[in-house]
Amino acid sequence: MNSKEKIIITAILGVFLGVVVTLFFYVSYLSNIEHDEQDLENIYSSINRIISINDDLLSETKKLEEEHQMLSNLTLGEEDKNILKNLKSKIDLLEESGPGVIILLRTRDSNNDLSETSCLSAHLRDMRNILNLPEIKTVGVSINGHRLSYRSTINCIGNGSVVDYERITEPYKIEVIGDQTKIINMIDTKQLLPELWNDIDSNFIQMELFARDNITLIPFSGNLKSPNLKGI
Amino acid sequence: MRIKEHLTNLKKILTIIVFIIAILIGSLSSYLIVSSSYKSLIDRRTQADRNKNTLNELSLLISQNQKLIANRNSLEEEVEQLKTTYSATRLVRQNIDDYVLLLGDEPAKGNGVILTIDIDLAPFWFIDIVNDLFDLGAEAIEINGVRYTPKTSIIKDMDSDIVVNNKKIQKPYILKIVGETNLLYKGLTNKSGLVEKLKLNFPNKEDKIILITKEDMYLN
């Protein structure tokens, strides 16, 4: 074999090796992705199962709370009843009614291709920021019918938002009981909600405000037990 | 003789260079062939990576589920107690005491963690931090001596200072958090936890974020 033939054979072997190595990486890459997607499907199915279990638990809890309230009232004298009622009202454990404001938040669907998902970090941030306003905290607030407490949390789970234990979807309807003028003025103050107004000004989300004469909020039904917190 | 040796060496070097170039050509050509489907692969990869966060969300959901179960069990016990007059009275008095503690009207104490952040933070950071802490089962939070209560707001005033319950606060921000210590510590320090999130958003300031556990911590 002369040197020219040797070089040609070396070149062919080199090309072959290059192709094999590249294809090997490509195939293992592909198989990793398929694995990930399979895992993801399993996770989503677990999420749906847990959300459904949580829904059942929530309805059981609501029934028990009603029974708890009825039995507590039977036990108490008038003065204690008022003390308990006052305290429960302050921590959102009582039904409340009164004038207030409805805030509707939704994605501007013409602006981006993410509108098909209902959970965006902007929504979470904007909702959390609105709920942080002092005027929102005066009497009571709910999101999509779910009454909030000061310990309520809002998160993204899968492609949806979850408030405490309940999954909610767009449009996000925040109902607030309180002084309508003060609430609307506060929301209109850009300095207090810079991120929200930035999202609105950049056409990312849309917000509508409606004053209502009578809003009714159901009691908060989550867990406020504090076994580690003691009096002094 | 030497010239012959040189030629042989040159041939060897040439063969190696040809081999390397051939490997590169082989890799490049096969890459070009598969690259037509590569873009969609990248998209799928990105989607898969993004969705991996879903695993963390699942664990959050499981923790919420456990809280719900605990709440239901405790309610069941209390309803049983309420059915007899003596224990009912005692229980309702206990409920009143618990609610007073939650409202922050009286000082309290408990085990938990202290998170110190010596970084300038915008108000939304505090709102996110409080959200994460309650997710981890925090039972009471105090920020620079101010209790987080149902009426607490964290805003920026006209002087750009952070104001909590009408009180201006400045860094270092010291958050006392009462709750299940292990749960809080692990939740805050895990890969998707608050401490890591802060470190990621404030690079080179790792030493400005300190988390310690604390027993019998007093809250205002």
Side-chain angles (χ1 to χ4, degrees):
Chain A
M1 200 184 288
N2 64 29
S3 50
K4 267 187 186 176
E5 284 170 344
K6 272 184 189 169
I7 288 175
I8 288 168
I9 288 169
T10 310
I12 291 168
L13 278 174
V15 170
F16 179 72
L17 193 65
V19 170
V20 168
V21 169
T22 308
L23 287 180
F24 172 76
F25 281 115
Y26 178 75
V27 167
S28 62
Y29 182 65
L30 200 67
S31 109
N32 271 345
I33 289 179
E34 273 165 11
H35 245 139
D36 286 348
E37 285 177 347
Q38 183 61 45
D39 287 347
L40 198 65
E41 268 176 36
N42 293 338
I43 294 170
Y44 275 130
S45 116
S46 303
I47 282 178
N48 287 330
R49 218 169 38 239
I50 294 175
I51 284 179
S52 135
I53 294 170
N54 281 358
D55 285 345
D56 293 344
L57 280 167
L58 207 59
S59 81
E60 275 181 54
T61 306
K62 277 177 184 162
K63 276 182 201 158
L64 282 164
E65 270 164 0
E66 280 167 19
E67 196 179 353
H68 190 288
Q69 183 152 357
M70 188 198 73
L71 288 165
S72 299
N73 283 337
L74 282 176
T75 314
L76 290 174
E78 269 319 300
E79 194 185 340
D80 283 345
K81 258 186 207 172
N82 287 333
I83 293 173
L84 191 64
K85 191 178 170 190
N86 187 27
L87 288 169
K88 279 186 153 186
S89 163
K90 284 181 178 171
I91 51 175
D92 308 296
L93 293 176
L94 281 190
E95 184 178 295
E96 302 284 354
S97 293
V101 174
I102 291 177
I103 306 154
L104 273 185
L105 278 181
R106 71 179 90 222
T107 310
R108 261 189 198 278
D109 43 18
S110 57
N111 190 46
N112 59 72
D113 59 357
L114 294 169
S115 55
E116 63 193 43
T117 62
S118 60
C119 185
L120 299 172
S121 56
H123 289 141
L124 289 190
R125 188 184 55 210
D126 292 335
M127 281 195 283
R128 286 178 187 169
N129 289 346
I130 289 173
L131 297 171
N132 171 62
L133 293 174
E135 276 311 317
I136 302 283
K137 299 202 167 198
T138 51
V139 182
V141 60
S142 75
I143 298 183
N144 290 22
H146 175 88
R147 177 73 178 274
L148 305 183
S149 82
Y150 76 107
R151 281 201 204 165
S152 288
T153 58
I154 309 173
N155 292 293
C156 269
I157 304 277
N159 62 352
S161 302
V162 171
V163 176
D164 292 325
Y165 317 104
E166 284 185 43
R167 183 131 69 163
I168 57 166
T169 51
E170 281 197 60
Y172 298 114
K173 183 182 175 190
I174 303 173
E175 292 177 277
V176 193
I177 295 180
D179 186 313
Q180 295 165 331
T181 315
K182 283 183 183 172
I183 293 169
I184 291 172
N185 283 344
M186 200 162 252
I187 291 171
D188 279 340
T189 310
K190 290 194 174 186
Q191 196 216 343
L192 284 174
L193 295 166
E195 293 88 8
L196 170 76
W197 281 101
N198 189 34
D199 288 338
I200 292 170
D201 291 342
S202 57
N203 278 336
F204 185 61
I205 62 164
Q206 187 181 9
M207 180 175 69
E208 291 171 273
L209 301 177
F210 307 95
R212 288 281 181 271
D213 290 338
N214 194 23
I215 291 173
T216 299
L217 305 176
I218 57 163
F220 172 68
S221 54
N223 188 1
L224 288 177
K225 299 281 172 208
S226 308
N228 294 287
L229 189 67
K230 315 273 182 227
I232 294 173
Chain B
M1 196 63 179
R2 274 190 178 173
I3 292 170
K4 209 174 179 185
E5 249 175 56
H6 274 303
L7 271 175
T8 317
N9 282 341
L10 268 176
K11 274 181 192 170
K12 277 181 187 169
I13 292 168
L14 186 67
T15 313
I16 292 168
I17 291 170
V18 166
F19 188 61
I20 292 168
I21 291 171
I23 289 175
L24 288 175
I25 290 170
S27 302
L28 192 68
S29 55
S30 49
Y31 170 76
L32 288 174
I33 291 165
V34 298
S35 67
S36 56
S37 58
Y38 191 69
K39 197 191 167 302
S40 65
L41 265 180
I42 295 269
D43 291 344
R44 285 168 74 190
R45 178 86 252 180
T46 315
Q47 179 67 22
D49 281 345
R50 197 173 59 184
N51 288 339
K52 266 189 178 175
N53 291 330
T54 311
L55 197 58
N56 296 327
E57 290 153 6
L58 176 64
S59 77
L60 178 72
L61 204 58
I62 291 170
S63 115
Q64 288 177 339
N65 173 264
Q66 285 164 347
K67 283 188 214 163
L68 263 178
I69 291 171
N71 192 29
R72 184 202 55 189
N73 293 346
S74 134
L75 268 171
E76 268 174 355
E77 273 176 36
E78 290 194 0
V79 164
E80 280 309 306
Q81 285 182 49
L82 281 167
K83 286 175 181 167
T84 66
T85 315
Y86 170 70
S87 52
T89 314
R90 206 176 48 177
L91 179 68
V92 173
R93 295 253 170 260
Q94 183 61 50
N95 281 345
I96 289 175
D97 291 345
D98 288 348
Y99 295 154
V100 169
L101 279 182
L102 288 185
L103 283 166
D105 290 344
E106 287 183 9
K109 66 173 183 175
N111 299 338
V113 295
I114 298 180
L115 176 64
T116 306
I117 308 167
D118 196 4
I119 301 169
D120 284 316
L121 295 175
F124 74 83
W125 268 107
F126 288 96
I127 297 164
D128 286 354
I129 288 170
V130 166
N131 189 81
D132 286 7
L133 290 174
F134 283 136
D135 260 335
L136 291 171
E139 294 169 16
I141 301 170
E142 185 188 281
I143 307 169
N144 286 25
V146 185
R147 272 286 285 283
Y148 190 91
T149 71
K151 304 292 172 222
T152 299
S153 291
I154 303 167
I155 52 173
K156 208 182 234 188
D157 69 2
M158 301 301 263
D159 305 324
S160 291
D161 289 322
I162 301 287
V163 178
V164 186
N165 290 0
N166 297 320
K167 193 186 162 196
K168 286 187 182 194
I169 60 163
Q170 286 176 329
K171 68 174 187 177
Y173 302 111
I174 300 167
L175 288 94
K176 291 182 180 177
I177 307 131
V178 169
E180 193 62 54
T181 309
N182 282 340
L183 214 66
L184 284 170
Y185 193 85
K186 280 183 188 163
L188 286 168
T189 51
N190 74 22
K191 268 189 178 176
S192 59
L194 179 64
V195 171
E196 285 307 309
K197 201 158 59 180
L198 283 166
K199 285 180 180 173
L200 203 71
N201 279 277
F202 299 97
N204 305 321
K205 291 193 174 171
E206 287 87 353
D207 58 330
K208 306 280 183 192
I209 304 159
I210 301 163
L211 180 72
I212 55 163
T213 59
K214 181 87 176 161
E215 283 184 11
D216 271 343
M217 192 161 43
Y218 283 81
L219 303 183
N220 289 325

